[in-house]
Amino acid sequence: MKKPALVVLAILGVVASLAAQGAPPRAAAPTPAELAAQAAAAERGRVIFKENCSACHAEDATGGRGPDLIRSSLVRHDKGGDLIGVVVTGGRPDKGMPPFPMTQSQISDIVAFLNAQISLFDLHTRYGPYPNDIPAERLATGTVEAGKAYFNGPGKCNTCHSPTGDLAGVAKKYNPPDLEVRFLYPSGTPATAIVTLPSGKTFEGTLLLNDDFNVAIMGKDGWYHSWPTSAVKIEVHDPLAVHAELLQKYTNADMHNLFTYLETLK
Amino acid sequence: MKKWLAPALFVLLLTPSHLHGQDLDPGKILTPPTDSWPTYNGDYTGRRFSPLTQINKTNVGAMSLAWAFQAHTQGLQSMPLEVNGILYIAGGNQAWAVDARTGRQVWHFARPGESVSGGNKGLAMWKDRLFLTTFDAQLLCLDARDGKMIWQIQIDDPALKAFGSMAPLVIRDHIIVGTSGDTADLPGFLQSIDPMTGKVEWRWDSMPKPEDPAWKTWPHDTNVVTRGGGMTWLTGTYDPELNLLYWGTGNPHPVENGDTRAGANLYTCTIVALNPDTGKLVWYFQTSPHDTHDWDMVMTPVLFDGPFHGKPRKMLAQAGKNGLFFVLDRTDGKALVSEAFVPANWLSGFDERGQPIPLRDKEPQPDGVLVTGGVGTNWQAPSYDPDTGLIYVNSREAMGVFYLTMPGKMAEGWAGRDFFLSSKSMLKAIDVQTGKTRWTADTEGRGGQSGILSTAGGLVFTADSSSSLVALDAATGKVLWHMYPGGSLGTGAMTYELDGRQYVVYPVDGVIYGFTLPAP
């Protein structure tokens, strides 16, 4: 599902209440000093977590050998270390987790770190920058040669693009998944249009709207123009059209090879 | 005895006026919507079809604005209810009552100190009470007269990012409500609630119990089945004659890692038929076994009767997020039609039950995989027109790339990332006899998808994807009326007759628009 609600929910955060009756209690917004203290505690917690916990729970707490702590019910219901502290100091011998004799302040810092990670992940569950973004080596499962051959061969990429021209350093410009998504389909690239009026006069510019009823451009003359679609002749030049066509032809191997090649353009 | 007489008399005196007030007559939901629109889909069938004909193919071109209600909020996705001349609208954790004649506010509800806007899908009404789900996963009962809260109950755990956004469904004296959320791994469910007290009457879980044969559709070397998914995001439908409640369920969790949950993962991505008195499962049909793409199949199960290839049938149709269209016999869940309505490369075909067979190599991979089929359609409601025999679906032909970012058996949560690459939106009119698209109206442009209303006036009301509100010829898709409202339509339009005039109401962002024909 699409979840516009989640952002609102994250903002709600502290407002959310399990109380069955009555209005939920409202917490006052933290002051800048409190926020700074939380951030400092989270930073200390990050170091403690890395040293003691990351071997099983991963540095970002998403889990590995041990459970993902970001989606843990216990972690999310913790209040100031009341649940997490018990697990840390007592361990989970039945599940292979040894006890970690930590002080209350160390536990508080770990809790601050986990809360910071939860906020980050809840805002970026699916979209946007993951803290553990996909490394290039995981995507570069093709070969440079095959990618280059596709670029200059069946893909006909070299018709419009050059590794020493517009694509020079492209792998430095984008992180690995963004690079792949952008070469597969560089959405957002605007179309241009030439609009011919009944008088024969033409306007050219960036296409802003072209539906059943109206057409609008940002003209080369720097002015916005619009007309009823039925009253004019419209010639659209969409640089995405060739990418849309190519997208239907890519095999997964083509994609992997092209990425492996483009990732060398640093 | 005597001292009880006065209060008893008082009650007797109150009752008749109470009955003649603005209450919703529960029988109204059983008939096609004309002078009221008393539930999320207008009636129990989910057809979103109105028998009103005053606004029709010949005159819709003259339809014009009667009033606009400014809710001073954002992102309304709510389907308004209309009962006895009052519109009831939800938005975020708020609700409004609005005069359906004038567009003027009657009351506004928000919890003290709170102003949460956003994508609530709508209210449910039972007699003189309204029911609102909230983003902190509560169900609120409001007095329809003044919007005052009567009770509230906790439905799910907001600490795990479960939330409420659905319009509940009223069946006789029961409120059926489910849950939403997919940040953490949560099990989905439906509950029946007593409208007087908020007491839970039954609960049906999307995750099977050990004694259920569906238990075998999950691995049990981890506790994945206790966390599994199957959220009940949208409102179901109901057949009072068969006394069956139909609901679509959401995707399994971890969302994009199928290795953690080898098997079909029942009852996720499934249409279930439940007995609404007990919550017991009567039949199921899994529209997307072992989903690994977040294609929750919660879209409206649309109910209609008629001949199917010459034989009378009680049918149920769903166009799903996975790009597939199904028509089932709703007495037993047997498939009559299984057909892709957009290009879909993730399945090898259909099994003997008519359920899709997913391809292993189209599951998310660490280095990415190109997948077509989803999101074929989304939560925006479809409509079925019995006069044309067509189901109208706002659809999307799209390609995405899916990455498995959290491999292995310990994965939780999303466990992957996916990106839409290109997509093309269009309204499709699908023939229920064949599952084939009879016509498409290209709605490509800016903006998103919108819900759909059809009427006996031969019209389909929706919005195109450059956000113009449109009325189309239901038989051909030709645009007969349009208007740009300055925002995006979400859930769709609804219609009702009041003072002998037919109104068409479109919620757009923070504004509700009411259209009619010019006064005679």
Side-chain angles (χ1 to χ4, degrees):
Chain A
M1 300 298 294
K2 288 289 163 280
K3 311 104 190 161
L6 284 183
V7 176
V8 181
L9 193 70
I11 295 161
L12 252 181
V14 286
V15 178
S17 163
L18 284 168
Q21 296 293 327
R26 291 184 61 81
T31 63
E34 283 167 342
L35 286 173
Q38 280 169 19
E43 259 332 288
R44 291 194 301 273
R46 181 188 299 280
V47 175
I48 302 167
F49 192 89
K50 188 177 173 182
E51 279 170 15
N52 296 281
C53 319
S54 66
C56 293
H57 296 291
E59 274 185 44
D60 61 4
T62 57
R65 267 198 293 155
D68 178 348
L69 302 180
I70 302 298
R71 281 101 190 173
S72 155
S73 178
L74 181 141
V75 170
R76 284 175 186 252
H77 281 284
D78 179 88
K79 298 268 181 293
D82 63 341
L83 304 175
I84 293 170
V86 175
V87 176
V88 170
T89 55
R92 285 249 162 109
D94 54 323
K95 293 180 178 171
M97 174 171 162
F100 289 80
M102 287 193 190
T103 65
Q104 191 52 49
S105 80
Q106 284 176 308
I107 288 166
S108 295
D109 290 347
I110 287 178
V111 170
F113 167 67
L114 290 175
N115 284 338
Q117 290 295 102
I118 285 172
S119 302
L120 191 61
F121 272 84
D122 283 358
L123 284 172
H124 301 290
T125 297
R126 181 176 191 190
Y127 306 102
Y130 262 69
N132 60 344
D133 231 322
I134 307 171
E137 53 271 26
R138 207 186 290 168
L139 304 186
T141 56
T143 68
V144 176
E145 298 69 40
K148 203 169 181 175
Y150 188 88
F151 188 94
N152 297 312
K156 296 184 190 154
C157 312
N158 60 348
T159 318
C160 302
H161 302 287
S162 153
T164 52
D166 64 327
L167 297 183
V170 71
K172 270 195 297 194
K173 206 165 144 194
Y174 298 105
N175 75 17
D178 285 350
L179 175 65
E180 181 146 280
V181 166
R182 280 199 66 78
F183 86 69
L184 286 169
Y185 194 71
S187 58
T189 311
T192 57
I194 299 169
V195 179
T196 309
L197 273 47
S199 66
K201 190 173 180 194
T202 62
F203 289 84
E204 192 173 349
T206 304
L207 186 63
L208 302 176
L209 174 71
N210 183 20
D211 66 13
D212 288 344
F213 320 115
N214 296 293
V215 58
I217 63 166
M218 184 53 75
K220 278 188 166 171
D221 57 5
W223 287 94
Y224 174 93
H225 303 275
S226 73
W227 303 269
T229 306
S230 57
V232 293
K233 201 176 113 235
I234 306 153
E235 200 185 317
V236 177
H237 301 274
D238 185 358
L240 282 175
V242 63
H243 282 274
E245 208 177 298
L246 192 58
L247 187 56
Q248 302 304 320
K249 295 179 186 160
Y250 284 126
T251 63
N252 288 316
D254 294 337
M255 170 173 73
H256 303 323
N257 289 328
L258 256 183
F259 176 84
T260 308
Y261 169 54
L262 293 176
E263 184 59 24
T264 64
L265 306 180
K266 296 223 170 175
Chain B
M1 282 304 286
K2 211 168 182 180
K3 67 180 174 186
W4 291 105
L5 194 59
L9 242 176
F10 185 64
V11 168
L12 278 173
L13 285 170
L14 260 185
T15 306
S17 71
H18 183 73
L19 284 178
H20 291 106
Q22 311 272 49
D23 285 19
L24 171 62
D25 169 4
K28 275 282 183 197
I29 314 178
L30 296 168
T31 58
T34 52
D35 59 342
S36 68
W37 188 277
T39 178
Y40 175 69
N41 283 318
D43 61 18
Y44 281 132
T45 66
R47 298 184 306 179
R48 287 177 183 261
F49 173 80
S50 164
L52 295 177
T53 56
Q54 186 181 80
I55 299 172
N56 58 53
K57 277 199 245 200
T58 64
N59 60 19
V60 69
M63 190 171 82
S64 59
L65 194 64
W67 49 257
F69 169 68
Q70 299 273 359
H72 301 291
T73 186
Q74 296 172 332
L76 285 178
Q77 295 182 345
S78 173
M79 174 56 49
L81 308 183
E82 192 273 329
V83 176
N84 293 318
I86 311 264
L87 292 162
Y88 299 100
I89 301 148
N93 294 352
Q94 304 178 71
W96 293 262
V98 172
D99 187 333
R101 252 177 212 97
T102 64
R104 290 174 191 272
Q105 181 171 305
V106 178
W107 53 254
H108 170 225
F109 166 81
R111 288 185 293 201
E114 190 187 81
S115 173
V116 178
S117 60
N120 188 298
K121 301 295 181 289
L123 296 156
M125 190 169 190
W126 175 81
K127 296 185 180 174
D128 57 357
R129 293 179 172 208
L130 296 165
F131 299 87
L132 172 70
T133 56
T134 66
F135 287 149
D136 50 352
Q138 299 194 355
L139 177 68
L140 313 187
C141 172
L142 309 179
D143 189 326
R145 294 171 185 81
D146 55 14
K148 296 267 189 313
M149 189 160 70
I150 299 170
W151 52 253
Q152 61 179 326
I153 58 166
Q154 197 69 44
I155 294 288
D156 207 346
D157 184 354
L160 286 163
K161 303 295 182 209
F163 63 94
S165 64
M166 72 184 323
L169 182 68
V170 171
I171 296 183
R172 298 189 299 273
D173 294 332
H174 312 282
I175 311 299
I176 313 296
V177 69
T179 186
S180 305
D182 55 7
T183 301
D185 298 332
L186 294 170
F189 60 84
L190 284 175
Q191 285 183 330
S192 174
I193 309 282
D194 180 338
M196 288 305 291
T197 62
K199 196 169 153 276
V200 176
E201 298 162 324
W202 54 254
R203 174 179 163 125
W204 175 82
D205 290 296
S206 303
M207 295 297 111
K209 308 276 188 305
E211 60 274 17
D212 187 329
W215 179 258
K216 295 196 179 70
T217 65
W218 293 85
H220 296 290
D221 52 344
T222 65
N223 68 348
V224 67
V225 72
T226 64
R227 298 183 280 120
M231 306 307 270
T232 42
W233 295 85
L234 290 177
T235 310
T237 52
Y238 174 58
D239 182 333
E241 275 176 35
L242 297 171
N243 195 34
L244 287 177
L245 173 65
Y246 303 100
W247 222 282
T249 65
N251 55 285
H253 278 245
V255 180
E256 295 186 355
N257 177 328
D259 295 339
T260 56
R261 44 180 177 79
N265 309 141
L266 288 166
Y267 297 97
T268 66
C269 292
T270 297
I271 294 169
V272 294
L274 306 180
N275 179 322
D277 299 308
T278 62
K280 295 274 181 286
L281 183 81
V282 177
W283 59 254
Y284 74 89
F285 179 87
Q286 195 173 27
T287 47
S288 214
H290 190 70
D291 171 69
T292 53
H293 301 101
D294 180 42
W295 294 337
D296 31 67
M297 295 295 281
V298 296
M299 291 72 225
T300 311
V302 183
L303 315 183
F304 52 93
D305 298 344
F308 180 81
H309 295 196
K311 190 174 167 233
R313 289 271 192 185
K314 289 175 180 294
M315 290 173 272
L316 175 157
Q318 185 194 48
K321 207 171 166 184
N322 64 1
L324 304 184
F325 176 75
F326 300 94
V327 180
L328 311 180
D329 183 322
R330 73 173 182 271
T331 61
D332 56 12
K334 296 272 186 305
L336 304 172
V337 174
S338 301
E339 196 69 48
F341 65 94
V342 293
N345 71 359
W346 61 271
L347 68 159
S348 62
F350 297 93
D351 66 14
E352 68 289 351
R353 280 195 68 180
Q355 299 181 158
I357 304 162
L359 287 166
R360 183 78 179 80
D361 65 4
K362 292 295 188 287
E363 291 188 18
Q365 308 292 331
D367 56 354
V369 58
L370 293 164
V371 182
T372 58
V375 169
T377 188
N378 212 322
W379 58 267
Q380 296 88 349
S383 179
Y384 171 75
D385 179 344
D387 297 335
T388 60
L390 297 171
I391 283 205
Y392 307 99
V393 178
N394 264 323
S395 66
R396 188 149 62 170
E397 296 186 350
M399 182 174 286
V401 57
F402 286 76
Y403 299 101
L404 178 64
T405 55
M406 219 179 276
K409 290 210 163 185
M410 295 306 294
E412 297 184 26
W414 210 275
R417 295 181 77 180
D418 56 278
F419 299 89
F420 262 121
L421 298 169
S422 72
S423 75
K424 191 166 168 53
S425 302
M426 60 195 79
L427 186 143
K428 297 204 175 202
I430 302 172
D431 186 333
V432 299
Q433 301 288 321
T434 60
K436 306 283 188 213
T437 298
R438 199 180 292 170
W439 54 258
T440 65
D442 188 344
T443 60
E444 187 58 26
R446 295 175 302 138
Q449 296 165 300
S450 302
I452 302 173
L453 164 76
S454 61
T455 71
L459 295 171
V460 168
F461 294 92
T462 185
D464 69 14
S465 56
S466 51
S467 299
S468 286
L469 307 179
V470 292
L472 311 177
D473 184 323
T476 64
K478 188 175 172 232
V479 178
L480 301 175
W481 174 89
H482 68 97
M483 182 263 187
Y484 178 64
S488 297
L489 175 71
T491 246
M494 50 82 85
T495 187
Y496 56 90
E497 190 176 69
L498 187 61
D499 306 330
R501 298 179 79 185
Q502 183 184 355
Y503 290 79
V504 174
V505 170
Y506 280 99
V508 174
D509 280 348
V511 182
I512 311 285
Y513 292 97
F515 295 94
T516 55
L517 293 174

